[in-house]
Amino acid sequence: MVLKLYDTLTRPAKPQPFRPIDPKNVRMYVCGPTVYDFAHIGNARPVIVFDVLFRLLRHLYGPEHVTYVRNITDVDDKINARAAERGIPIRQLTEETYANFNADVAALGCLPPTVEPRATEHIVEMKTLIERLVTNEFAYVAEDHVLFNVKKMPDYGRLSKRSLDEMIAGARVEVAPYKRDSTDFVLWKPSKPGEPAWPSPAGIATPGRPGWHIECSAMAWKHLGETFDIHGGGIDLVFPHHENEIAQSRCVFHTPVMANYWMHNGFLQVEGEKMAKSEGNFITTRELLAEWPGEVLRLNMLRTHYRQPIDWTEAGMRESKRTLDHWYELTDDVAPGYLCADMHDAVSDDLNTPKALAALHELRSEAGKGSKGAAAGLKASAHLIGLLQMTTRQWAAWRPKSLAIDKAHVECLIEARNAARKAKNFKEADRIRDELKAMGIELEDKPDGTTIWKVRR
Ligand code: AMP
Ligand code: ZN
C-alpha cells in the first residue's frame, strides 16, 4: 500500500497518497522544543509520532533519501524569564535543557533527526527573510519592531480556517499601539539591556531579537529549501505559529505553498484532565523514564492514533508494560524475519498505529502457539515503529532507577511497616511511611498488601 497522509491544510475527507517533491530527498520539518524546562509527556508526543514517520519514510525511500529537520528554539522570552528566575546565564539554561531533552528522546527510542538547527545560529537567515519582506511591503517597521502586515496576504488564515474578520473581532483589546492592524505579528523586536540581542535588520538602530515564527521559516529554508514535503507539530501550533510560518515563507518566496502536507498530533491529557502545573498532574518525561523503560512510554503513546486526543493513564502504562514483557519473552534469541503486510499497510495509512499494534498482537498469538515465523515477523514489524529495540536479556534486567538503588532497603522498610500496622503500632507505621516519602517513594495500602504506587523524582 502506498503511504497516505492527512493534510491539515486541505482537510480532505480521507488521507491522501503522499507524493514527495523529490523521492531522492524527502524533506520533513517538525517544530522542536523551546529549551527552558524538562520536556513533559505531552511534548514527547510529537517527538515519538514524527519519529515513526521518519522511520517509515526511511524504510520506503531509503535512509539516505530522507532529511528530517527538528529545530531547537533557544531564543524566546520564556527562556529569558526562566534564566533570570534561576539566576543563571541563558546559554547555561539552554544547553542544560537541550542535553536533558536529547537524553529523554534517546531513551524513548527516537532516532536523531538529520539536522537539529538552533535558532541562535540562524539569525542571518532570519534577517535576510525579514529584509525581503520589508522590501516587498509584506512587512513594516514601527517603533523598532518589524511587523508582518497580515492584510497584504489575501489568503492568510487558510490553515486554521479563520477569516481575517473573525481574527480582528477576536483580537484582544490591548493591541500594541505600533501595530497597523491587531492581527499583524512580530518578526523582530527591540531588546532591553540584558536581553539577548543582535544588530537589527531594516535600518533599525536598536539591537533586537527575532520573533518565534520567523525562526522556523528561516531554519526550514536553510535546511530544506523554499518548499518541502511535510511540516509537523502539535495541534496547538496550527494557530498562530504555523499560520504565520506559512505567511512569511510564501510571501518571501512567492510560492503557493510552504509545505505540501501539514501534520498535527492531537493533545495529551492525564487521567482525564488537562495537564497543568496548577492541577498537580504535570508529568515530565524524565520522571516517567525513571519508573518505566522508554519503550513502555513509546508503546503507550502509539496505542492512540496520532490525530486523536490521548488520555495518559497509569493503567495504560501497566498494560503497555505487560504487552512488551510478553513480546520480549516470545522473541528471545529470534532474528528479525519478514515485515508483516498488515502492519506495513496500517502504518502507511496515515500512521494508523492502533491498527498496526493489532497486527502485532495477531503475530504474538501465532508466536505463542509456537510459530517461529510469527515471532520473527513480530520482531521485524515492531522494529518498523521503533519497538523491541533491546535484547530480551536487557529488557528483563531493566529496573526503575529509584528502586535499583535501594530496592532491598525499601522492601525491608515496607515489611517493617506492615508488621507495625499489624501490631496496631500506627505511630511507627506512619514514621516509616514518612521515611519512605523522604526517599521519594509513596505507598498505597490495599486490603491484600502494600504496593509502591509512585516514585517521585
Ligand atoms: P513547546 O516546547 O511548548 O513549543 O512544545 C513542543 C511541542 O510539543 C509542540 O509540537 C507542541 O505542539 C507539543 N505539545 C505541547 N503540549 C502538548 C500536549 N499536551 N499534547 C501533545 N502535544 C503537545
Ligand atoms: Zn515552528
Side-chain angles (χ1 to χ4, degrees):
M1 183 173 158
V2 297
L3 172 59
K4 289 188 182 142
L5 298 175
Y6 184 82
D7 172 28
T8 315
L9 180 67
T10 49
R11 294 186 200 198
K14 286 192 302 219
Q16 296 297 306
F18 172 67
R19 295 202 178 82
I21 299 167
D22 174 9
K24 292 249 172 306
N25 184 17
V26 180
R27 290 164 288 159
M28 170 162 82
Y29 186 96
V30 175
C31 297
T34 303
V35 282
Y36 67 100
D37 206 345
F38 280 109
H40 59 63
I41 186 63
N43 299 135
R45 192 172 192 194
V47 178
I48 294 173
V49 163
F50 291 102
D51 179 69
V52 169
L53 181 54
F54 183 38
R55 284 170 183 273
L56 181 62
L57 293 170
R58 286 161 60 95
H59 171 75
L60 296 171
Y61 295 92
E64 66 282 18
H65 298 303
V66 184
T67 307
Y68 172 24
V69 179
R70 188 183 61 213
N71 74 288
I72 310 284
T73 296
D74 60 352
V75 47
D76 184 277
D77 290 352
K78 288 195 283 273
I79 298 176
N80 305 343
R82 182 61 57 89
E85 211 176 284
R86 287 182 53 189
I88 57 171
I90 287 171
R91 185 86 189 170
Q92 186 183 331
L93 175 68
T94 56
E95 287 301 315
E96 175 189 304
T97 313
Y98 173 61
N100 287 331
F101 174 79
N102 246 347
D104 287 353
V105 302
L108 293 171
C110 297
L111 298 170
T114 324
V115 193
E116 265 193 298
R118 287 163 187 241
T120 49
E121 288 168 9
H122 294 74
I123 302 290
V124 171
E125 287 80 2
M126 294 173 207
K127 283 162 65 174
T128 304
L129 296 188
I130 293 172
E131 299 269 6
R132 282 202 214 170
L133 286 168
V134 172
T135 307
N136 294 325
E137 296 181 4
F138 286 111
Y140 58 93
V141 177
E143 293 183 23
D144 290 345
H145 291 70
V146 184
L147 292 134
F148 187 91
N149 196 344
V150 168
K151 276 209 174 130
K152 287 280 166 84
M153 188 184 185
D155 60 352
Y156 180 85
R158 263 182 67 205
L159 180 71
S160 55
K161 300 274 178 294
R162 292 163 190 234
S163 75
L164 208 50
D165 291 342
E166 268 166 23
M167 283 185 265
I168 291 166
R172 299 229 180 89
V173 193
E174 359 73 69
V175 175
Y178 47 80
K179 285 190 184 182
R180 285 188 198 162
D181 282 297
S182 58
T183 47
D184 293 351
F185 60 89
V186 165
L187 300 173
W188 189 267
K189 57 185 165 190
S191 294
K192 294 190 198 75
E195 288 175 339
W198 291 265
S200 294
I204 299 168
T206 317
R209 60 194 191 280
W212 173 34
H213 318 306
I214 198 73
E215 296 178 9
C216 284
S217 281
M219 288 182 272
W221 172 45
K222 170 85 185 281
H223 299 284
L224 298 176
E226 296 180 0
T227 55
F228 48 94
D229 298 301
I230 301 167
H231 193 315
I235 190 83
D236 58 320
L237 300 187
V238 167
F239 188 84
H241 186 54
H242 289 167
E243 196 73 76
N244 293 348
E245 278 188 43
I246 293 176
Q248 297 160 159
S249 297
R250 282 189 47 209
C251 291
V252 163
F253 304 120
H254 304 285
T255 47
V257 296
M258 177 182 187
N260 283 328
Y261 300 82
W262 286 84
M263 294 177 67
H264 295 97
N265 64 268
F267 242 47
L268 176 147
Q269 55 173 21
V270 173
E271 309 280 355
E273 287 182 23
K274 185 173 185 279
M275 180 170 50
K277 287 234 161 83
S278 55
E279 300 285 332
N281 64 355
F282 188 88
I283 319 178
T284 64
T285 307
R286 181 58 58 101
E287 63 189 322
L288 284 178
L289 285 170
E291 283 177 79
W292 306 90
E295 283 194 18
V296 173
L297 275 73
R298 187 178 181 95
L299 173 61
N300 203 41
M301 200 69 91
L302 298 179
R303 287 168 58 191
T304 306
H305 186 256
Y306 78 93
R307 284 195 277 125
Q308 298 300 319
I310 186 169
D311 188 25
W312 192 266
T313 63
E314 177 94 10
M317 290 291 279
R318 281 198 294 268
E319 207 175 313
S320 300
K321 171 77 165 57
R322 274 197 298 275
T323 299
L324 283 164
D325 282 340
H326 206 174
W327 291 357
Y328 268 109
E329 198 184 306
L330 289 168
T331 55
D332 190 14
D333 279 336
V334 171
Y338 293 110
L339 187 63
C340 157
D342 286 351
M343 155 87 190
H344 181 269
D345 287 355
V347 190
S348 302
D349 185 11
D350 193 33
L351 308 184
N352 193 339
T353 52
K355 208 166 159 199
L357 293 172
L360 295 185
H361 284 302
E362 286 282 314
L363 286 171
R364 192 250 340 194
S365 34
E366 291 305 309
K369 288 181 208 149
S371 162
K372 284 270 175 272
L378 173 59
K379 198 166 215 172
S381 306
H383 282 177
L384 182 68
I385 55 174
L387 293 171
L388 298 187
Q389 295 188 66
M390 292 189 200
T391 64
T392 301
R393 184 176 291 202
Q394 285 169 330
W395 179 260
W398 195 94
R399 293 282 175 274
K401 278 210 179 70
S402 44
L403 294 191
I405 308 164
D406 262 330
K407 194 162 182 268
H409 180 51
V410 169
E411 273 168 6
C412 196
L413 284 172
I414 292 175
E415 238 169 67
R417 181 170 168 272
N418 283 341
R421 286 174 71 210
K422 224 171 180 179
K424 301 214 180 319
N425 185 353
F426 296 113
K427 211 169 157 197
E428 174 65 0
D430 286 349
R431 190 197 63 73
I432 299 174
R433 174 190 280 274
D434 288 346
E435 188 179 335
L436 285 161
K437 203 168 176 182
M439 291 162 60
I441 292 162
E442 294 188 343
L443 304 175
E444 184 171 43
D445 294 323
K446 293 206 174 121
D448 56 345
T450 299
T451 46
I452 294 174
W453 69 275
K454 197 158 186 212
V455 181
R456 287 178 295 112
R457 293 273 88 203

